[in-house]
Amino acid sequence: MSDDDFLVNIENLRFDYGDRPVLRGIDMRIPRGRVVAIMGGSGCGKTTLLRLISGQLRPTAGTVRVAGEAISEMSHARLYAFRRRMGMLFQFGALFTDLSVFDNVAFPLREHTDLPEDMIRDLTLMKLQAVGLRGARDLMPSTLSGGMARRVALARAIALDPALIMYDEPFTGLDPISLGVIGQLIRQLNDALGATSIMVTHDVQESLRMVDYIYFISEGRVVAEGRPEDVRDSADPFVHQFVAAKADGPVSYHFPAPDMAAEFLGAAHV
Amino acid sequence: MSRVLDMLRFLGGQVIDRVWRLGRASCFFLAVLMKSGAALLRFSLLFREIWFAGVLSLLIILVSGLFVGLVLGLQGYEILQRYGSAQALGTMVALSLLRELGPVVAALLFASRAGSAITAEIGLMKATEQLKAMDMMAVDPVARVVAPRFWGGVISMPILAMLFSTMGILGGWLIGVVFLGVDDGAFWSSMRASVDFRHDVWNGVFKSVIFGVAVSLIAVFEGYYSEPTAEGVSRAITRTVVTSALVILALDFVLTSFMFKGMS
Ligand SMILES: Nc1ncnc2c1ncn2[C@@H]1O[C@H](COP(=O)(O)OP(=O)(O)O)[C@@H](O)[C@H]1O
Ligand SMILES: [Mg+2]
């Protein structure tokens, strides 16, 4: 595959919060038209990575290229032009609490197009129909269940038919049924829109079922990658720990702590 | 010795922190002004904020104005009576309200009613990532969320101050003329004779515009830069009310000393 077949190219990406390194050299390529999962433990920098791809943060070193252009070198106007072609599903939905479900989904259309109101209505209802919530158009976000709120946020993220859709932990906090629904939706929407999707998650089973490619991140680096069928019977100890949900392995169960004997026995002497 | 150094360090830190916030607020002010085009052109956005900031503060402003006027009427009558000039009550009530109490008290009320609500709204939008989501949709939150609220406050403030003064004058009239027997004609004619449009009415309106800018800026700034947690937002709301009060009173002194110096 040539470089053109990849929508997102990440090279030696580093990022520090202050002097605390979070990403220590990530290399990643996201092929066009595919659904790619990025997996890793909580706090390993998955959300940070999505923010770097979408230009909300600037890398400490390295580059993120989307459609061949380095995100961190773009002007504000250029970045906004790119973001019109990106959709992002936030971890907690981030619906506008003062707007109804309908107005939330219509928001990007109203801000970015001069379409007449009846056209906006049709487009909005189509997006809501795609996530199965056309009947919920008049509800306020505060009255929605977690799964419904996530689907509304999804409808809003795809309102402008984005070429790149990013999902931050789309499965967290959902019951098994809603979880399956969201998983299917992500797959269907990607294929129907001809988009490329990046999904950050720690839900292995659901991801193995529906994505085309998986990256594993740990300690700020990509430690393993592969297609679901390869990942499932991978001998790699990290992947094995993750897929089999083992508490201890290459990823330690314990937060780094002083030696146990010294801590407990040492205290007895005082 | 080290206690003294610690003290100095603490004081220095506080000063630097204040100056730094002031600098950041100034930059933010410029950014809001530069991104105000859409807010001022899209009337529906602006109207919602004028409604929110202005109309919701209306009741408290009207009621407070009436009470302040009633008190002014009582106190003014009692003092003026001593010099046998109770018919000047109209002058006293109108000048106190138009020059000082109208703009200042209305601004203090506005800061605690509308300013705190603006800070809370923006702070909560930030804490729940709504501002980030908007930014990700290529909609600038400063232009879409901050600027309309800022201008809504700036436009509402002078109107509210004028309503406050009007209610106050009515309150003074009610006490003076209806209850204490000051002559109705004397009340109004003394007022008309001594209230100068430019010096008194216009200066008062000018003050309230300045207060409107200050309070609205503080409210949007505190909200936008609040720490995105529940405690962070609640601290930001407190800061809006406290800082606004201090800034209003300090600005009032500065403005008054320029406006009314050398007047007899
Ligand atoms: N604004 C911030 N300032 C400082 N540290 C942060 C900030 N945001 C996240 N972090 C830290 O960076 C690490 C990665 O965070 P994040 O990307 O949110 O992880 P994930 O999404 O994988 O759970 C975490 O350890 C977190 O504590
Ligand atoms: Mg995260």
Side-chain angles (χ1 to χ4, degrees):
Chain A
M1 288 212 265
S2 78
D3 255 13
D4 240 19
D5 297 325
F6 296 96
L7 182 59
V8 180
N9 275 281
I10 300 175
E11 277 166 32
N12 190 29
L13 180 69
R14 289 162 178 275
F15 185 81
D16 306 342
Y17 275 115
D19 47 12
R20 188 162 150 250
V22 176
L23 304 179
R24 308 164 191 243
I26 299 261
D27 289 288
M28 217 177 248
R29 299 199 293 177
I30 313 289
R32 285 180 195 272
R34 299 299 160 88
V35 180
V36 174
I38 300 173
M39 313 199 67
S42 294
C44 76
K46 302 184 298 296
T47 300
T48 307
L49 182 57
L50 284 188
R51 291 225 192 120
L52 285 158
I53 296 174
S54 57
Q56 296 172 57
L57 292 173
R58 266 165 205 280
T60 309
T63 50
V64 175
R65 253 182 269 280
V66 177
E69 279 190 58
I71 286 280
S72 60
E73 285 159 24
M74 288 180 186
S75 67
H76 187 71
R78 185 80 185 138
L79 181 62
Y80 264 20
F82 260 66
R83 283 196 185 157
R84 288 187 194 203
R85 308 282 291 128
M86 292 180 184
M88 177 132 161
L89 185 71
F90 282 73
Q91 194 164 348
F92 301 103
L95 291 174
F96 300 129
T97 38
D98 58 336
L99 300 180
S100 67
V101 164
F102 181 93
D103 290 331
N104 261 285
V105 179
F107 184 89
L109 296 164
R110 289 191 172 133
E111 293 294 320
H112 289 309
T113 68
D114 290 323
L115 296 175
E117 193 55 34
D118 56 339
M119 200 108 122
I120 287 189
R121 179 176 169 279
D122 292 350
L123 285 171
T124 305
L125 291 181
M126 269 162 58
K127 299 295 173 188
L128 280 171
Q129 174 71 14
V131 299
L133 290 176
R134 190 163 48 86
R137 75 188 90 166
D138 294 323
L139 299 180
M140 292 306 279
S142 55
T143 63
L144 301 176
S145 71
M148 279 163 84
R150 197 123 347 143
R151 282 193 273 162
V152 175
L154 186 47
R156 185 179 68 176
I158 57 164
L160 294 170
D161 296 340
L164 173 63
I165 316 177
M166 285 168 280
Y167 300 91
D168 194 354
E169 313 252 7
F171 305 125
T172 311
L174 296 185
D175 59 84
I177 298 176
S178 312
L179 192 148
V181 167
I182 294 277
Q184 275 178 14
L185 266 177
I186 292 174
R187 183 78 241 179
Q188 281 167 8
L189 289 172
N190 187 76
D191 299 345
L193 294 170
T196 305
S197 301
I198 305 176
M199 183 175 91
V200 146
T201 176
H202 46 234
D203 190 303
V204 190
Q205 298 315 324
E206 187 60 32
S207 309
L208 286 176
R209 212 176 356 248
M210 51 149 303
V211 304
D212 300 310
Y213 203 80
I214 302 180
Y215 282 98
F216 288 90
I217 305 185
S218 178
E219 320 239 299
R221 291 201 176 78
V222 174
V223 290
E225 58 182 282
R227 292 172 304 168
E229 52 269 34
D230 306 332
V231 164
R232 214 172 267 131
D233 15 75
S234 166
D236 184 293
F238 179 87
V239 174
H240 187 69
Q241 184 191 354
F242 219 97
V243 173
K246 295 225 166 70
D248 224 342
V251 177
S252 169
Y253 164 70
H254 288 285
F255 192 81
D259 182 62
M260 191 150 79
E263 187 137 70
F264 290 113
L265 301 177
H269 292 300
V270 181
Chain B
M1 188 60 205
S2 84
R3 294 245 323 255
V4 176
L5 277 181
D6 279 351
M7 273 275 285
L8 281 177
R9 198 170 298 139
F10 174 76
L11 281 177
Q14 288 283 311
V15 171
I16 289 171
D17 186 54
R18 294 289 138 76
V19 173
W20 191 70
R21 279 188 87 78
L22 189 64
R24 210 158 58 156
S26 313
C27 294
F28 189 62
F29 187 32
L30 280 183
V32 172
L33 290 184
M34 275 174 3
K35 293 175 179 177
S36 288
L40 294 174
L41 290 179
R42 277 172 70 178
F43 193 71
S44 62
L45 278 187
L46 190 58
F47 184 78
R48 181 188 174 276
E49 300 312 329
I50 293 176
W51 174 266
F52 183 75
V55 178
L56 293 184
S57 315
L58 194 60
L59 189 65
I60 186 175
I61 291 276
L62 292 180
V63 173
S64 310
L66 184 67
F67 277 118
V68 167
L70 292 174
V71 171
L72 273 178
L74 281 174
Q75 294 281 14
Y77 180 81
E78 201 270 328
I79 295 170
L80 291 172
Q81 181 79 312
R82 296 184 199 170
Y83 305 99
S85 43
Q87 72 282 1
L89 186 65
T91 305
M92 203 213 91
V93 169
L95 286 185
S96 332
L97 281 163
L98 291 171
R99 285 182 175 186
E100 291 296 337
L101 290 173
V104 171
V105 179
L108 292 173
L109 292 171
F110 180 75
S112 35
R113 176 67 180 84
S116 60
I118 290 172
T119 304
E121 208 189 6
I122 298 179
L124 285 174
M125 286 185 87
K126 181 178 183 184
T128 52
E129 295 195 311
Q130 295 179 45
L131 297 184
K132 256 184 212 145
M134 203 177 267
D135 192 39
M136 266 310 294
M137 287 182 242
V139 176
D140 190 330
V142 174
R144 181 63 173 68
V145 173
V146 173
R149 283 166 178 75
F150 173 78
W151 287 108
V154 172
I155 293 170
S156 312
M157 186 68 264
I159 301 171
L160 292 171
M162 280 190 279
L163 289 172
F164 184 94
S165 298
T166 309
M167 282 308 282
I169 290 171
L170 282 179
W173 173 84
L174 198 66
I175 284 288
V177 175
V178 177
F179 290 101
L180 300 173
V182 175
D183 180 61
D184 194 20
F187 183 91
W188 295 112
S189 65
S190 85
M191 190 187 302
R192 224 170 295 139
S194 54
V195 173
D196 180 79
F197 184 78
R198 206 188 71 77
H199 263 119
D200 303 315
V201 178
W202 178 241
N203 273 344
V205 171
F206 182 72
K207 267 186 183 177
S208 63
V209 171
I210 300 286
F211 295 160
V213 171
V215 173
S216 307
L217 179 64
I218 291 168
V220 293
F221 174 78
E222 290 295 351
Y224 196 76
Y225 284 100
S226 61
E227 202 191 305
T229 61
E231 309 89 78
V233 175
S234 101
R235 241 177 294 136
I237 296 169
T238 309
R239 265 207 304 270
T240 292
V241 176
V242 174
T243 314
S244 296
L246 286 175
V247 167
I248 290 164
L249 296 172
L251 276 177
D252 184 49
F253 170 70
V254 174
L255 290 171
T256 304
S257 63
F258 277 107
M259 286 171 175
F260 299 104
K261 81 169 173 222
M263 276 178 66
S264 54

